[in-house]
Amino acid sequence: VRTHPTDVAVIGAGVAGLGVAWRAAQRGLAVTVLDPAPGSGASHVAAGMIAPVTEVAYGEEAVLGVHLASAGRWPRFAAELEEATGMSVGYRAHGTLAVAFDADDLRSLADLHAFQRSLGLDAEALASRECRDLEPALAPGVRGGLHVPGDHQVDTRPTWAALLAAAEGAGASLRPERVEGVVVEGDRAVGVRLGDGALLPATTVVLAAGSWSGGIIGVPPEAVPPVRPVKGQILRLRGPERPALLGRTVRGVVAGGSVYLVPRADGRLVVGATVEEQGFDTTVTAEAVYELLRDALRLVPGVATLELVEASAGLRPGTPDNAPLLGPSLLDGLVLATGHYRHGFLLLPVTADGIGEYLASGVLPDDLAPLSPHRFVGHGVGA
Ligand SMILES: Cc1cc2nc3c(=O)[nH]c(=O)nc-3n(C[C@H](O)[C@H](O)[C@H](O)COP(=O)(O)OP(=O)(O)OC[C@H]3O[C@@H](n4cnc5c(N)ncnc54)[C@H](O)[C@@H]3O)c2cc1C
């Protein structure tokens, strides 16, 4: 069985797939997005921090430029998404405060600050009192911190919903179907095989299936993206809108561990997250919920009175170097938009714009060059 052909078949309706679908449809391409459970992946549980400075990591300096560029595009991207749909995405340019719980934690924040400054990033060291001047709900024992005025957040579920509305509004269609495999003829991808056995012919296939991107059959071994699931458990709480418990995102180093508290404008609070190598397991464990709440309360005792609304787990699509795979793969006709690990929301503008541009013009923007899937070829991790 063959179904009506499409220009672009997108596998996966998380933020990566929908962002690409929106931009490609805006450029006049016929786009079909396939997903048996749209929006059920990592995009559903993420916190939504747009935080290239507080999340800068040793050894990942090469992608810092892309992170900063994508964060810089967020205000316009959010405004465009809101204008296209009439829906709010909750982008809040409120900055981030990273704080330390004990003396060792303060030393590790000082190391982070030195690293940030060596890269020319904007972060200011604050004494304990100055931290509490900014965020009066912080525990008096907090040792000190870093104020990062440029790290912001977006509300994740409204963003996903707006992306879907925008993609459909631009003419893309979402089919709630599982892709069994990529269909290859000669040496190029010519479409996808659906769960019911039907073939959907497509000029280009975009693989945006998050942590599941490595498991789509039919892709030759050298073109399979080296993506693995990295589990994250996360909590959602609710408090009064006024007075807000926190005015900005608070990240903490707490007795060597880390926790973050992301306040939405309406009093909701997201507390996360664990980082676990557990395969495709999404069990919520008592230990993780306990540790997240314990560390959040150590920093912000007022969390104790909030309503606990949800505990969930998601799978971040990790890669060998923690950077995404964006651009054409080694199989002609197959394009990757996956492997966003901890930064799928941060990287949404560059992913959607860059892959959308490539699909429409055949030219990959220069800023995506460091993220080419070809960087792993010949390193023994491409299969
Ligand atoms: C706890 C946690 C907190 C996070 N916090 C942040 C944050 O603060 N900031 C940030 O930038 N990022 C954050 N992230 C990372 C971010 O969530 C991910 O990078 C991003 O959501 C990945 O999006 P995606 O579309 O690639 O994958 P997903 O959202 O996982 O979507 C993949 C989709 O593919 C579909 N699919 C799978 N197999 C098939 C198939 N065979 N056929 C069709 N469809 C298929 C699935 O149903 C799913 O809907 C966090 C992640 C976690 C887990």
Side-chain angles (χ1 to χ4, degrees), residues 11-17 34-50 55 177-180 208-212 216 230-234 260 273-274 313-317 337-347:
I11 308 174
V15 288
L34 304 134
D35 194 322
S40 63
S43 304
H44 186 66
V45 305
M49 289 174 293
I50 310 298
E55 296 212 349
E177 293 184 61
R178 182 182 148 76
V179 169
E180 291 302 332
S211 289
W212 299 270
I216 308 289
V230 182
K231 179 179 178 181
Q233 302 192 52
I234 189 164
Y260 55 72
T274 63
L315 302 172
R316 308 173 183 91
T338 190
H340 292 83
Y341 188 42
R342 308 183 67 167
H343 303 299
F345 281 84
L346 166 63
L347 290 169

Side-chain angles (χ1 to χ4, degrees), residues 194-280:
L194 304 180
D196 62 4
L199 168 69
L200 172 64
T203 309
T204 309
V205 176
V206 177
L207 182 45
S211 289
W212 299 270
S213 297
I216 308 289
I217 61 172
V219 180
E222 67 277 11
V224 172
V227 172
R228 70 180 197 287
V230 182
K231 179 179 178 181
Q233 302 192 52
I234 189 164
L235 309 175
R236 287 178 154 77
L237 299 97
R238 184 161 49 213
E241 186 175 335
R242 288 211 175 69
L245 187 61
L246 296 173
R248 57 179 59 66
T249 295
V250 170
R251 305 177 64 109
V253 192
V254 183
S258 64
V259 68
Y260 55 72
L261 299 88
V262 184
R264 307 293 194 218
D266 61 1
R268 287 173 296 137
L269 184 72
V270 180
V271 175
T274 63
V275 180
E276 306 168 64
E277 301 277 352
Q278 299 277 2
F280 283 92

Side-chain angles (χ1 to χ4, degrees), residues 6-12 17 20 24 29-34 179-185 188-194 199-209 213 216-220 223 225 325-338 355 358-359 373:
T6 187
D7 293 330
V8 182
V10 180
I11 308 174
V20 169
L29 295 168
V31 180
T32 306
V33 185
L34 304 134
V179 169
E180 291 302 332
V182 171
V183 180
V184 178
E185 269 174 32
R188 67 169 289 127
V190 294
V192 293
R193 179 81 55 200
L194 304 180
L199 168 69
L200 172 64
T203 309
T204 309
V205 176
V206 177
L207 182 45
S213 297
I216 308 289
I217 61 172
V219 180
L325 300 154
L326 301 178
S329 73
L330 281 185
L331 176 66
D332 275 353
L334 180 69
V335 171
L336 304 185
T338 190
I355 301 298
Y358 178 73
L359 293 169

Side-chain angles (χ1 to χ4, degrees), residues 53-77:
V53 177
T54 33
E55 296 212 349
V56 66
Y58 302 102
E60 295 176 20
E61 295 88 338
V63 292
L64 178 64
V66 186
H67 284 187
L68 291 169
S70 202
R73 277 197 219 170
W74 251 107
R76 246 188 72 197
F77 190 87

